[in-house]
Amino acid sequence: MAEDLSAAPPRPAPPKARDLLTRRLADIVCLPSSQIAPQERWMVADVLDELLRSADLELRVKVAKRLAQQHDAPRGLLRRLAHDQIEVAEPILRQSQALSDFDMMDIAQSGATPHKLEIARREQVSETVAAALCTSSDIEVMSVLLRNTGVRFANSTMDVIVRVAAEHDTIARLLIPRPELRPAQALALFWSVSHELRRTILDRFAASRKILQDAAEDVFPLAARETAPDAAVREALAYIDRRQRDRKAAEVTPFGSLEGLVERAAQIGFTEELRAEAAVLANVQRDLLNRMIDDFGGEPLAILAKATGLSREHLTAMIEGSGRMDAFNRVEQAVRVFDTMSVDKAQTVLRYWNWVIARAARAG
């Protein structure tokens, strides 16, 4: 009886020579170091590299997945596959331990966004690679980096992210909890974020100065007796000092006190004269006082009031004098900060802001 050939399963086509050779060479390249000399691995990698240039996508993906697991994978071959289509590059960018920081920095600077995102998702990302990824200020890449607890950021990179966060709420929300964020950076970001994020910044970064005050307690009288005051010491002690108001200015002000000035501002508004006198009495830079009065929220004025010992009623009077009593719930937001912040912490924030503006003025 004749065999029914129609019922027999089709025989698989023999592998193409390219596919077979590529797989064999990949096997050799992936051998452990104990079984192949470095020179042999490099030689085989060169041949494999040439074959992969014109190989189909499926074969390139298979080779990339194998090489991603190899600690001794040839660097040149890895770099080329890391620059390939994202389907090929993904396992190498995400997993390969043989890929150097230099290689990843090159991809971060010249690669497409999908390639950058895979690097940002790696289990560990160094400061140098994170810096390269942040250079383009790509919001999506920064978001992935900030969510990744295995990423380490240099201080200069945090400065870049702070500038982006000032314009993008999503980045600000991810940035504020990061352990690398310094108080100076957070308090600079304060001015650009929402009421909610402002409170978060104050809760985390408005620190007490008690440790500084205890350390400098006997320095104050010593510095006062010096005939040639040290400018740096004087500036540092001004930051540490428990007193905020200028007492000498209070003795000669035509308004009697800072309270009296605030009461007058509530009646006629913060004129240029009142702003100038208030800055002197509160012992802050004029530019800082203007910024607090003109700010969209009431939190800066709450910090000023708390730091200078004003009452809640005088805080409300300051907001009224600013001419923006109802804008953005200024009173509600201000009172919330005023009631929850200590005098010491409010002074820390105010002194920092004042110090930054004073330093910028000297530099200019």
Side-chain angles (χ1 to χ4, degrees):
M1 183 174 178
E3 183 179 0
D4 184 3
L5 296 178
S6 63
R11 294 182 178 180
K16 295 179 181 179
R18 175 186 295 276
D19 291 355
L20 180 58
L21 181 58
T22 301
R23 287 198 298 270
R24 296 279 171 80
L25 295 181
D27 289 341
I28 296 173
V29 165
C30 292
L31 286 173
S33 299
S34 60
Q35 298 182 30
I36 184 172
Q39 296 86 348
E40 293 175 312
R41 193 191 305 276
W42 297 334
M43 177 183 62
V44 174
D46 289 340
V47 178
L48 179 58
D49 192 5
E50 287 299 320
L51 289 172
L52 287 174
R53 290 178 187 277
S54 53
D56 60 37
L57 177 63
E58 181 180 0
L59 184 56
R60 300 201 312 276
V61 170
K62 288 181 180 178
V63 173
K65 287 181 177 178
R66 291 195 63 184
L67 290 178
Q69 307 300 323
Q70 303 301 317
H71 289 273
D72 298 321
R75 292 270 301 281
L77 184 56
L78 276 180
R79 283 196 297 269
R80 199 184 68 72
L81 292 173
H83 280 282
D84 205 329
Q85 292 177 229
I86 190 60
E87 296 89 345
V88 179
E90 184 273 331
I92 292 174
L93 296 175
R94 180 79 75 89
Q95 304 170 28
S96 176
Q97 298 303 308
L99 205 63
S100 71
D101 277 6
F102 178 83
D103 299 328
M104 288 184 281
M105 288 169 63
D106 178 53
I107 296 167
Q109 292 167 354
S110 61
T113 296
H115 293 67
K116 297 177 184 179
L117 289 170
E118 291 306 325
I119 296 176
R121 295 185 180 109
R122 287 174 69 91
E123 186 175 344
Q124 299 292 329
V125 180
S126 71
E127 290 185 353
T128 54
V129 174
L133 287 169
C134 290
T135 301
S136 62
S137 299
D138 186 303
I139 302 302
E140 187 177 7
V141 173
M142 281 189 175
S143 297
V144 172
L145 283 170
L146 290 169
R147 289 190 178 97
N148 186 348
T149 57
V151 177
R152 293 295 173 262
F153 294 103
N155 191 52
S156 58
T157 306
M158 295 301 283
D159 288 336
V160 173
I161 300 175
V162 166
R163 289 194 290 271
V164 175
E167 299 180 3
H168 297 275
D169 182 78
T170 300
I171 299 299
R173 289 179 179 277
L174 295 171
L175 173 63
I176 292 170
R178 288 293 308 196
E180 300 94 339
L181 186 65
R182 294 185 178 183
Q185 294 162 330
L187 293 174
L189 179 61
F190 172 94
W191 298 97
S192 304
V193 297
S194 65
H195 296 301
E196 174 195 353
L197 294 182
R198 285 180 166 191
R199 290 194 298 273
T200 302
I201 288 173
L202 293 176
D203 288 343
R204 183 179 174 199
F205 294 99
S208 169
R209 292 167 301 138
K210 188 176 185 305
I211 189 170
L212 287 172
Q213 291 164 348
D214 291 344
E217 185 175 2
D218 58 346
V219 179
F220 281 96
L222 179 63
R225 292 194 298 268
E226 291 183 344
T227 55
D230 185 315
V233 171
R234 184 171 62 247
E235 185 176 306
L237 292 178
Y239 179 81
I240 298 171
D241 196 356
R242 290 181 172 86
R243 297 172 299 178
Q244 178 60 47
R245 299 195 197 189
D246 187 322
R247 295 183 179 180
K248 292 182 179 179
E251 295 173 359
V252 297
T253 180
F255 302 99
S257 64
L258 181 59
E259 283 83 357
L261 184 148
V262 169
E263 291 164 6
R264 181 59 176 160
Q267 296 171 352
I268 66 172
F270 269 106
T271 63
E272 289 301 312
E273 178 192 0
L274 290 178
R275 288 179 183 229
E277 186 69 12
V280 173
L281 290 170
N283 199 19
V284 297
Q285 295 289 319
R286 171 70 180 275
D287 287 346
L288 175 57
L289 184 80
N290 287 339
R291 188 171 191 178
M292 290 189 289
I293 292 174
D294 298 333
D295 185 78
F296 74 88
E299 299 92 344
L301 289 178
I303 291 169
L304 176 65
K306 196 74 173 189
T308 55
L310 291 173
S311 66
R312 186 191 297 180
E313 290 71 23
H314 284 99
L315 167 60
T316 303
M318 276 202 296
I319 297 175
E320 186 175 353
S322 72
R324 303 175 64 185
M325 189 71 173
D326 299 322
F328 300 98
N329 300 317
R330 289 186 98 200
V331 174
E332 177 185 347
Q333 301 297 339
V335 169
R336 183 179 300 184
V337 169
F338 183 88
D339 287 346
T340 57
M341 180 169 281
S342 69
V343 172
D344 183 34
K345 290 184 177 181
Q347 287 182 351
T348 297
V349 175
L350 188 63
R351 302 281 176 84
Y352 167 74
W353 285 338
N354 199 61
W355 174 62
V356 168
I357 290 178
R359 186 173 57 174
R362 289 194 301 272

